Amino acid sequence: MKNNLSVVLLLGIGLSTTSCASMFTGTQDSISFSSTPEGATVFHKGIEKCTTPCTVKIPRSLSKQTVSFEKEGFNNKEVKLTKNFNAVTLLNILFGGAIGVGIDAATGSLTKYSPKEYKVELEAQQ
């Protein structure tokens, strides 16, 4: 009986400390970027990520996230990445995982990027 209680207790602790959204959906999303004209450099947090058309993994975050598109001879364009609530986080709430919800919040996994594709039209400089 004591052995069964230990197993149940360990299982309960394990379930309550997991971060479901982080485990099941990860902490970053692959997002596709394209521009007209092609060949614009995409920057996220001031770091060059890729040249359009491209797909890059962007870490999730609860804070506002933007990317900028830059191409010589064209005006720079900044785009805000939009996010939605990640429903997988509800599993933590259902199983009483307050610690897991905290981990999901810390890793940004409470949200996910949507849409996963951004198309921009760059304007020629005057």
Side-chain angles (χ1 to χ4, degrees):
M1 182 72 169
K2 195 173 189 179
N3 212 10
N4 288 341
L5 183 59
S6 296
V7 170
V8 169
L9 183 62
L10 285 174
L11 186 60
I13 291 170
L15 283 174
S16 68
T17 60
T18 58
S19 50
C20 289
S22 298
M23 288 186 342
F24 293 122
T25 63
T27 59
Q28 54 189 351
D29 289 312
S30 291
I31 302 177
S32 297
F33 300 102
S34 60
S35 65
T36 303
E38 292 182 349
T41 304
V42 178
F43 291 88
H44 177 249
K45 294 186 175 181
I47 300 169
E48 183 178 330
K49 292 295 185 177
C50 61
T51 302
T52 61
C54 59
T55 301
V56 67
K57 289 186 182 256
I58 303 289
R60 293 181 185 155
S61 174
L62 295 180
S63 64
K64 175 184 168 188
Q65 297 294 307
T66 60
V67 294
S68 60
F69 294 78
E70 299 179 14
K71 183 173 175 73
E72 191 173 324
F74 292 85
N75 295 324
N76 295 345
K77 185 154 191 175
E78 188 172 277
V79 175
K80 179 183 175 192
L81 301 178
T82 57
K83 297 175 277 189
N84 291 323
F85 178 72
N86 189 354
V88 176
T89 301
L90 293 174
L91 292 175
N92 281 330
I93 296 167
L94 292 174
F95 292 111
I99 294 172
V101 172
I103 293 170
D104 286 344
T107 62
S109 292
L110 288 175
T111 61
K112 59 184 176 180
Y113 293 111
S114 180
K116 302 259 198 265
E117 184 176 354
Y118 291 84
K119 298 177 183 182
V120 299
E121 190 163 328
L122 299 175
E123 296 177 16
Q125 290 177 344
Q126 301 278 337

